[in-house]
Amino acid sequence: MQKYGVNELRRMFLDFFESKGHLAMKSFSLVPHNDKSLLLINSGMAPLKPYFTGQEIPPRKRVTTCQKCIRTGDIENVGKTARHGTFFEMLGNFSFGDYFKHDAIHWTWEFLTEVVGLDPNRLYPSVYLEDDEAWKIWNEEIGIAPERIFKFGKEDNFWEHGSGPCGPCSEVYYDRGEKYGCGRPDCTVGCECDRYMEIWNNVFTQFDNDGHNNYTELEQKNIDTGMGLERLACIVQNVDSMFDIDTMKALRDHVCRITGVSYGTSDETDVSLRVITDHIRSVTFMISDGIMPSNSGRGYVLRRLLRRACRHGRLLGIERAFLVELAQTVIDGSKDGYPELEEKKDFIFNVIAKEEAQFNKTIDQGLSILADMEADMKAEGTTVLSGENAFKLYDTYGFPVDLTSEILEEKGLTYDKEGFEKAQKEQRAKSEGTFGTHSYSGTDASVYDALDPELTTEFVGYDNMEAESEVTALTSEEEIVDALSDGEKGTVIVAKTPFYATSGGQEADKGVIRSADGEFVVEDVVKLLGGKFGHVGHVTKGMIKIGDKVTMEVDRENRALAANNHSATHLLQKALRMVLGTHVEQAGSLNNANRLRFDFTHFSAMTEEQLKEVEAIVNREIRNHLPVVVRNMPIEEAKKTGAAALFGEKYGDIVRVVSMGDFSIEFCGGTHVANTGDIMAFKILSESGVAAGVRRIEALTSKGLMDYYEEQEQKLHEAAKMLKTTPDNMEEKISHLQAENKALKSEVESLKGKLAKDAIGDVMNQVTEVVGVKLLAAKVDGVDMNGLRDLGDQLKDKLGEGVVVLVSATDGKVSLMAMATKGAIDKGAHAGNLIKACASCVGGGGGGRPNMAQAGGKKPEGMNDALTKAKEVLAEQLA
């Protein structure tokens, strides 16, 4: 048997099923699209769920993919064994109502034995114990002896996920030989040892489960198969585990070179080598799909994997940043199947470097703090770290609680999980993948689920603002209906529309749909499964019915203003890359008729100079009146033009490319100006951070900018009116008022000081002696804290050496102030502690330094008690 590499096996599989009439689709992003049941794509069929449920029409009835996947349910076990990993590639062939068991099984056998060259005598199929059809195909058509076909029950060989499509499975196992076995005489298929490895699983989706285990035959039967690429490579290359296959071994060997540690010499170091090898693969692929480190959701998974890899690097003696080096090896090994890794490598490196540097700043301190906490636990005789301390490590030192748990577990300790969750309730959903109510396919359950999947809408809005069409479906807010009447809210679906639906950061068109009998105001347009456009709004007169011939009219001004802002984001992105660097990628946007918002990847706040430069570049290209040209072209040809693509976006074979002169070229499905001069002008309003490594710019163009300047001008005139001057003379007027205000403030402070001095009168006769230290404790009428401090300084000078305590009430609020000279402090006096004790008498609190302190309170009736307390406390301090 030839030892094919991972990249060869991937190509062989896809080529084989293409030869069987399958459409070879590129891997979908790791970020689920319109599927709220998943945090990350974890199987080959997950992105294809709408095709299996019939909610969307597949591009072809036969499809094959090699899907990148991440599973995070057992992160803690990764590294401890050679079986566990978070990232893997799943080979799959799928049929949506086309071929079924016969072809699926025959092609499984043909690929494994004839294409890959596995020994037929070492392959063992299994079937669901009630699936006689599959058993007969394996036995009578493929020729497998009955004793080599294993029948298993529902737990092993029946796939279902609650209610919805389900069916029996047929798996294929490969006998790797006695050296991988457990040695028991009864060792066979189904044993927990590594001898019989499951490599292929055919799921025959032929039933519908109503949720109560009542099964009905599906009219459209489907095939969903999966084969782990890494597992197949293990067998073909005859190696122990996925960590030994060619691409992963190259990565593992790189880790070994960096650390100076050899693989296979120590169980302890092997764990760390496997953790780093696996996690850097996941991290690299996740970032390439636009996932950014954060403290929630999939961003938290990324941060957790990256920081776990960092820590295991420390355990192997690596004291420097090293993950970017390894990411390059990941890219080198996988770019054959995933060219986006090479395309996005600068960005991938930037994100990894930033996150690794941030964690390295805190890891030593965090480990030290945890060590102190462990010492305290030992002294207290407990093996459980408090939830408060676990949260402190997370919140203050950036330690994911899972990392704290792992470190403790290595020493036979644990932490109080409930206490941690109490300290940070919102962290409970960090690693969960479900968000609210959703259907089987993972989309939000809605009235649109019941629409005919065959319905679709042709978009003609690039070239037309009006169109005639036919109403093909209607819904109210709760159900599918035949008509909507005056005042009712709902959704209109038509065969052809000029209305742009919200997508790509551009908000939907607004406008009107008219029939012979009614009028419908369009407030929003949404893209629905299957290419349908839903026009959301309300009927303003008459009635709209299914089958009506309608005229659709887009609000032209709204469309034009939105296009101004959308086109400006293209200029803005290019300008940002010119000023900040090529690591800048679009991370989101929102464009409507009023303003634009653009999120982009960058790791620090922009300076005022950078913002001015970006703004100047955009306005320069607006003044250059660049022609905006839109072309549809094959994606590979489009990439050669240097066109920028949106992170994580799935593009078809033909893409729409928008060029603005030679300045900006991007993949884009939105609407745009014909010439950049139409934008008129561009003004940045703000720049801020919205997430780790993501910044946001908000800006205005054209009418929105003119409205903004008109508003500012109105405010300017109103302010000038209040100052009794004109806008031209405001600067001079304000300067004059500031000088006048400064002089008056000085005069007021002088008068307040005089009044305070007059209010206290001659108090030197109130000086007493406490344990050999002079104390002046006095009450003053109507003096604020600033006045008390001024008086204190004057009285302290008169006193020479000693302690001054003053109390005053103004508008029911009490102010307390204490001062102590150096001589008094040397004898034990402490103004801060003194004032803290006195403040309790007036219902307040405060404190300060040994030489000066202040406090406030709400009980003027306690002022005399506070002065008495001062004498008592000073005596205690001096004793």
Side-chain angles (χ1 to χ4, degrees), residues 354-462:
K354 173 82 173 179
E355 185 72 10
E356 187 176 12
Q358 184 178 327
F359 189 52
N360 281 337
K361 285 180 183 177
T362 60
I363 188 169
D364 290 329
Q365 191 176 12
L367 288 170
S368 176
I369 297 293
L370 180 56
D372 291 342
M373 291 175 178
E374 290 172 18
D376 292 341
M377 289 164 62
K378 186 175 182 181
E380 294 165 7
T382 180
T383 59
V384 181
L385 179 70
S386 72
E388 291 78 8
N389 278 339
F391 177 70
K392 180 181 178 183
L393 282 165
Y394 162 75
D395 192 48
T396 307
Y397 302 104
F399 260 52
V401 68
D402 317 271
L403 184 54
T404 299
S405 176
E406 183 177 324
I407 294 170
L408 292 171
E409 184 185 337
E410 290 169 359
K411 301 170 184 177
L413 307 173
T414 186
Y415 78 102
D416 176 10
K417 186 175 182 181
E418 288 185 8
F420 177 85
E421 290 177 346
K422 184 178 178 182
Q424 181 77 345
K425 287 181 181 179
E426 61 265 32
Q427 301 296 346
R428 288 180 181 176
K430 274 184 176 178
S431 295
E432 294 175 4
T434 56
F435 305 86
T437 303
H438 52 79
S439 63
Y440 165 78
S441 64
T443 57
D444 286 333
S446 76
V447 64
Y448 305 128
D449 292 342
L451 288 170
D452 183 351
E454 295 287 342
L455 292 178
T456 188
T457 304
E458 178 190 359
F459 176 61
V460 296
Y462 289 133

Side-chain angles (χ1 to χ4, degrees), residues 441-689:
S441 64
T443 57
D444 286 333
S446 76
V447 64
Y448 305 128
D449 292 342
L451 288 170
D452 183 351
E454 295 287 342
L455 292 178
T456 188
T457 304
E458 178 190 359
F459 176 61
V460 296
Y462 289 133
D463 303 311
N464 302 281
M465 293 290 196
E466 295 183 20
E468 292 184 355
S469 189
E470 180 181 338
V471 176
T472 56
L474 292 167
T475 80
S476 67
E477 293 180 290
E478 294 86 22
E479 60 185 340
I480 293 174
V481 295
D482 293 325
L484 290 170
S485 57
D486 197 352
E488 287 188 319
K489 296 180 180 179
T491 302
V492 177
I493 294 160
V494 294
K496 182 169 65 175
T497 182
F499 283 84
Y500 183 83
T502 298
S503 61
Q506 180 178 337
E507 285 190 3
D509 284 331
K510 302 182 188 305
V512 182
I513 299 175
R514 294 186 178 92
S515 71
D517 301 319
E519 184 175 281
F520 182 91
V521 172
V522 178
E523 299 161 352
D524 191 14
V525 188
V526 293
K527 282 188 176 180
L528 305 174
L529 290 174
K532 294 178 280 291
F533 281 39
H535 303 77
V536 182
H538 65 281
V539 179
T540 53
K541 64 180 180 182
M543 179 183 290
I544 302 288
K545 308 181 297 300
I546 289 179
D548 278 355
K549 301 293 183 184
V550 292
T551 300
M552 314 187 72
E553 186 177 334
V554 172
D555 182 328
R556 292 172 181 270
E557 183 182 27
N558 184 79
R559 163 77 77 88
L561 293 174
N564 288 340
N565 285 325
H566 190 179
S567 295
T569 63
H570 283 227
L571 300 177
L572 174 59
Q573 179 169 357
K574 180 60 182 293
L576 287 168
R577 289 172 69 88
M578 291 169 65
V579 173
L580 302 179
T582 55
H583 64 276
V584 169
E585 296 277 356
Q586 181 174 339
S589 66
L590 179 65
N591 309 293
N592 56 32
N594 300 315
R595 62 174 54 208
L596 68 90
R597 186 180 78 201
F598 188 78
D599 296 347
F600 59 99
T601 53
H602 187 55
F603 306 101
S604 61
M606 291 179 66
T607 65
E608 188 175 343
E609 291 74 19
Q610 287 172 332
L611 287 169
K612 285 181 179 178
E613 187 178 354
V614 166
E615 192 176 275
I617 291 171
V618 174
N619 280 309
R620 181 190 71 205
E621 300 308 324
I622 290 172
R623 290 192 303 274
N624 284 340
H625 290 266
L626 303 175
V628 178
V629 178
V630 178
R631 290 177 294 167
N632 293 310
M633 61 178 72
I635 189 167
E636 294 307 320
E637 182 184 336
K639 286 180 178 179
K640 291 175 184 176
T641 69
L646 190 62
F647 243 167
E649 187 71 20
K650 184 71 177 177
Y651 294 100
D653 293 333
I654 303 296
V655 293
R656 189 168 182 265
V657 178
V658 177
S659 304
M660 297 182 181
D662 295 327
F663 182 76
S664 167
I665 310 175
E666 289 190 34
F667 291 11
C668 184
T671 64
H672 288 280
V673 296
N675 187 290
T676 58
D678 296 341
I679 301 170
M680 293 174 59
F682 173 82
K683 174 67 179 174
I684 295 174
L685 294 183
S686 66
E687 190 269 354
S688 60

Side-chain angles (χ1 to χ4, degrees), residues 39-40 72 75-76 283 286 291-308 355 394 398-405 415 420 426-432:
L39 194 65
L40 294 156
T72 59
I75 289 178
E76 292 80 6
V283 164
M286 289 172 78
I291 299 171
M292 296 290 289
S294 71
N295 284 337
S296 63
R298 58 185 68 94
Y300 177 70
V301 174
L302 171 61
R303 174 164 283 169
R304 180 181 174 189
L305 292 170
L306 195 148
R307 292 187 171 185
R308 195 168 185 253
E355 185 72 10
Y394 162 75
F399 260 52
V401 68
D402 317 271
L403 184 54
T404 299
S405 176
Y415 78 102
F420 177 85
E426 61 265 32
Q427 301 296 346
R428 288 180 181 176
K430 274 184 176 178
S431 295
E432 294 175 4

Side-chain angles (χ1 to χ4, degrees), residues 247-259:
T247 52
M248 289 191 71
K249 182 177 182 298
L251 181 58
R252 190 196 72 201
D253 288 348
H254 192 167
V255 181
C256 290
R257 289 196 300 275
I258 292 173
T259 60

